[in-house]
C-alpha cells in the first residue's frame, strides 16, 4: 500500500506541474511490469472499498481469485450474499 500511495502521490504532484514533458519523462521511467502491479493494487483497493460498502449495507461478501493472473489479469470476483 505504501508503494501505491507513493506512486499516486508522485502522479498527483506531477499533474500539478505545467510542464507535461517532466511528467512524461518520469512516467516512462517505470517498467511496464511495475505499472501493471500498481494497476492491480489499485483495482484491489477499489474492490476492497466495494466490499466494505456491501458490508455496511448488511450484506456478507468476500473477494476471491477465480483463476491465475497469467490466465486472466482480471482474476478477482466479488461475491455477496445476505
Amino acid at each position: 500500500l505504501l508503494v501505491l500511495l507513493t506512486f499516486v502521490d508522485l502522479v498527483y504532484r506531477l499533474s500539478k506541474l505545467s510542464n507535461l514533458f517532466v511528467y512524461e519523462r518520469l512516467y516512462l521511467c517505470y517498467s511496464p511490469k511495475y505499472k501493471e502491479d500498481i494497476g492491480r493494487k489499485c483495482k484491489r483497493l477499489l474492490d476492497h472499498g466495494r466490499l466494505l460498502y456491501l458490508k455496511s449495507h448488511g450484506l456478507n461478501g468476500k473477494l476471491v481469485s477465480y483463476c491465475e493472473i497469467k490466465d486472466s489479469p482480471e482474476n478477482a470476483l466479488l461475491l455477496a450474499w445476505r
Side-chain angles (χ1 to χ4, degrees), residues 59-70:
L59 296 169
N60 296 309
K62 76 178 191 179
L63 196 58
V64 295
S65 296
Y66 61 87
C67 67
E68 297 293 323
I69 290 176
K70 64 180 176 57

Side-chain angles (χ1 to χ4, degrees), residues 37-67:
D37 290 341
I38 292 295
R40 188 171 295 110
K41 289 175 183 177
C42 289
K43 288 179 182 184
R44 292 301 81 83
L45 184 62
L46 291 171
D47 289 339
H48 185 70
R50 292 177 179 121
L51 184 59
L52 291 175
Y53 176 83
L54 289 173
K55 289 183 176 184
S56 73
H57 284 78
L59 296 169
N60 296 309
K62 76 178 191 179
L63 196 58
V64 295
S65 296
Y66 61 87
C67 67

